[in-house]
Amino acid sequence: MRMHAIAMICIAFSSFLTHTAFAFDRELRSPPRKLTAEQAKVAANNYQKYCALCHGENREGHKNDHAPSLRSKSLMESGIAHQILRPMQYGRVGTAMGGYLDEVGGPMTLDETWDLTYWLFEQAGYDRLKFSTNPVNGDIKRGETVYQQECASCHGTKGEGVTGPAIMNPSALAHNTDEFIRHAIENGRQNTPMVAFKDKLSSDDIDNITAFLRSKSLGWTDETPVLKALPTPENYIINKHGDDPNFDLKDGMYVLSKDLNDALNAKKRMVLLDTRVTSVWQTAHIEGAIPFPYYADLDETVAGIPKDVQIVAYCSCPRAAADHTINRLRKRGYTRTAVLWEGIFGWMNQGYPVRRGDIEGVSD
């Protein structure tokens, strides 16, 4: 009886080592290329210009729109390069994260996106772990049950994101391997609300959640946007001969979606500013809105916008980038300014229309 008990303990311990060995003995990847001093300087400036508004000046995350930390150990040891590079380049469809690569309408070149990725890795200061592309097998139905119990309050019942990132986003699942996802669940994201589940859930249940999340990526196909020509100053003002909308602003700053929609239907005179990265303006925007990214040089972007017209800015976070833009404009004497309270996602969720960008292979 005693020998049987010892044998059972040995089997259990062997199973434990099988599940956890990779956490301690995972092979390291070689470091990526080292940036030159000039490349690092440009990358640091690009981070502050394009990323700090949501991810924080010190890469701490959750500054706006629950944007993830870009310095947590578990991410930076497993997320370089493509898990950081691809969302930076192409964005996350259906989220506030737009694409910053110039090929999709963003402000950075291909080299600049790579350099910013490597700069983030250098700043974090961790070694890179080697992950395979092998699937993590698990019980999908059991994974869904555990996901709803443990993850849905932050990530949403459909993975759409609540106080945490949208983890069932198709582009996120396309760019992240199963082991990358599993590593995040197991180890959490240090110094963020995302806790480590390795001491709360069994190894099997972590596998099950990973398999459940992966199951949500099936059937997704990429859609390539066809870039539109950007509006020119003579087209900035909507309904040039219309009346002023005379909005009753919430807190002296915000206009509600219903009021803005009513004003557009009544052909009121105004300027609409889409303050997101231009790539997402290309995908969908409120009819008549002009791309006016929050990071843009105001000396260039305000050209052609008079101070006597009502300006309404919107973003998708739902207000951070628009607030930032309108506050800058007000400092320059643009007093007839407002921010769309619900943001463009709230606008769409209430059923108000947007102009969809052209998608290759899709006709109206």
Side-chain angles (χ1 to χ4, degrees):
M1 189 72 177
R2 182 183 177 190
M3 292 299 294
H4 177 72
I6 292 173
M8 292 300 292
I9 291 172
C10 289
I11 291 170
F13 184 65
S14 175
S15 176
F16 169 79
L17 289 178
T18 299
H19 281 298
T20 61
F22 69 84
F24 302 101
D25 301 324
R26 186 183 292 279
E27 184 180 352
L28 296 181
R29 295 177 61 191
S30 59
R33 64 177 169 85
K34 182 74 176 174
L35 298 179
T36 67
E38 180 59 27
Q39 287 171 334
K41 179 180 178 181
V42 171
N45 288 336
N46 281 341
Y47 178 84
Q48 293 301 327
K49 186 174 184 180
Y50 304 129
C51 314
L53 182 70
C54 291
H55 293 279
E57 293 182 4
N58 296 309
R59 300 166 286 112
E60 68 273 19
H62 296 270
K63 185 77 172 180
N64 283 298
D65 198 46
H66 314 296
S69 166
L70 296 177
R71 68 182 189 192
S72 68
K73 180 177 184 294
S74 64
L75 172 64
M76 300 313 292
E77 69 186 5
S78 62
I80 299 297
H82 291 92
Q83 285 82 358
I84 298 292
L85 178 71
R86 295 314 180 204
M88 181 197 307
Q89 290 177 329
Y90 298 102
R92 294 290 195 223
V93 177
T95 77
M97 180 65 187
Y100 286 78
L101 181 63
D102 55 6
E103 293 179 9
V104 297
M108 286 193 284
T109 66
L110 180 63
D111 286 343
E112 286 175 332
T113 60
W114 274 103
D115 290 349
L116 180 49
T117 300
Y118 290 144
W119 179 84
L120 288 167
F121 176 76
E122 289 181 0
Q123 294 302 301
Y126 300 113
D127 292 327
R128 298 196 299 177
L129 300 180
K130 182 171 285 188
F131 288 83
S132 78
T133 57
N134 297 330
V136 170
N137 297 314
D139 183 330
I140 292 174
K141 289 185 177 180
R142 168 65 183 170
E144 181 175 14
T145 298
V146 180
Y147 174 88
Q148 297 300 339
Q149 292 172 347
E150 303 291 343
C151 314
S153 62
C154 292
H155 294 288
T157 57
K158 297 181 179 180
E160 71 277 16
V162 180
T163 60
I167 56 176
M168 290 187 205
N169 179 273
S171 57
L173 291 170
H175 296 143
N176 294 331
T177 65
D178 284 11
E179 284 202 27
F180 174 89
I181 295 169
R182 193 190 192 286
H183 190 71
I185 299 169
E186 183 180 43
N187 295 283
R189 296 295 190 222
Q190 293 75 16
N191 300 313
T192 79
M194 175 62 185
V195 300
F197 282 90
K198 60 185 176 183
D199 296 324
K200 185 175 183 179
L201 298 178
S202 69
S203 182
D204 285 343
D205 271 344
I206 294 176
D207 287 347
N208 295 336
I209 295 174
T210 304
F212 166 65
L213 292 175
R214 174 57 60 205
S215 73
K216 297 302 178 182
S217 66
L218 298 178
W220 179 66
T221 56
D222 192 10
E223 294 179 332
T224 303
V226 179
L227 299 187
K228 288 180 172 293
L230 302 183
T232 51
E234 63 270 18
N235 297 315
Y236 285 177
I237 299 178
I238 300 171
N239 306 317
K240 294 180 182 179
H241 303 294
D243 295 329
D244 190 276
N246 291 316
F247 291 124
D248 182 14
L249 299 182
K250 171 184 172 66
D251 299 328
M253 181 74 152
Y254 303 106
V255 60
L256 301 181
S257 291
K258 178 184 183 304
D259 295 335
L260 177 59
N261 186 62
D262 288 346
L264 290 172
N265 288 336
K267 306 297 182 183
K268 301 295 186 180
R269 179 176 181 261
M270 69 185 96
V271 171
L272 288 181
L273 306 180
D274 188 321
T275 64
R276 304 171 298 168
V277 62
T278 304
S279 62
V280 286
W281 175 90
Q282 291 279 0
T283 302
H285 55 265
I286 298 176
E287 181 72 30
I290 63 174
F292 199 92
Y294 62 90
Y295 50 77
D297 183 340
L298 283 185
D299 287 334
E300 298 176 2
T301 50
V302 298
I305 302 179
K307 292 184 177 180
D308 66 345
V309 64
Q310 176 67 60
I311 297 172
V312 177
Y314 67 83
C315 62
S316 52
C317 34
R319 293 175 292 277
D323 280 350
H324 175 75
T325 300
I326 289 303
N327 285 329
R328 293 172 71 202
L329 287 175
R330 288 185 173 187
K331 289 179 180 178
R332 291 201 170 208
Y334 284 82
T335 58
R336 297 192 49 69
T337 51
V339 169
L340 180 62
W341 173 251
E342 299 92 343
I344 191 169
F345 286 163
W347 168 273
M348 290 189 291
N349 285 338
Q350 292 184 47
Y352 298 122
V354 294
R355 180 180 180 85
R356 194 201 65 191
D358 293 331
I359 303 296
E360 191 173 284
V362 178
S363 59
D364 290 328

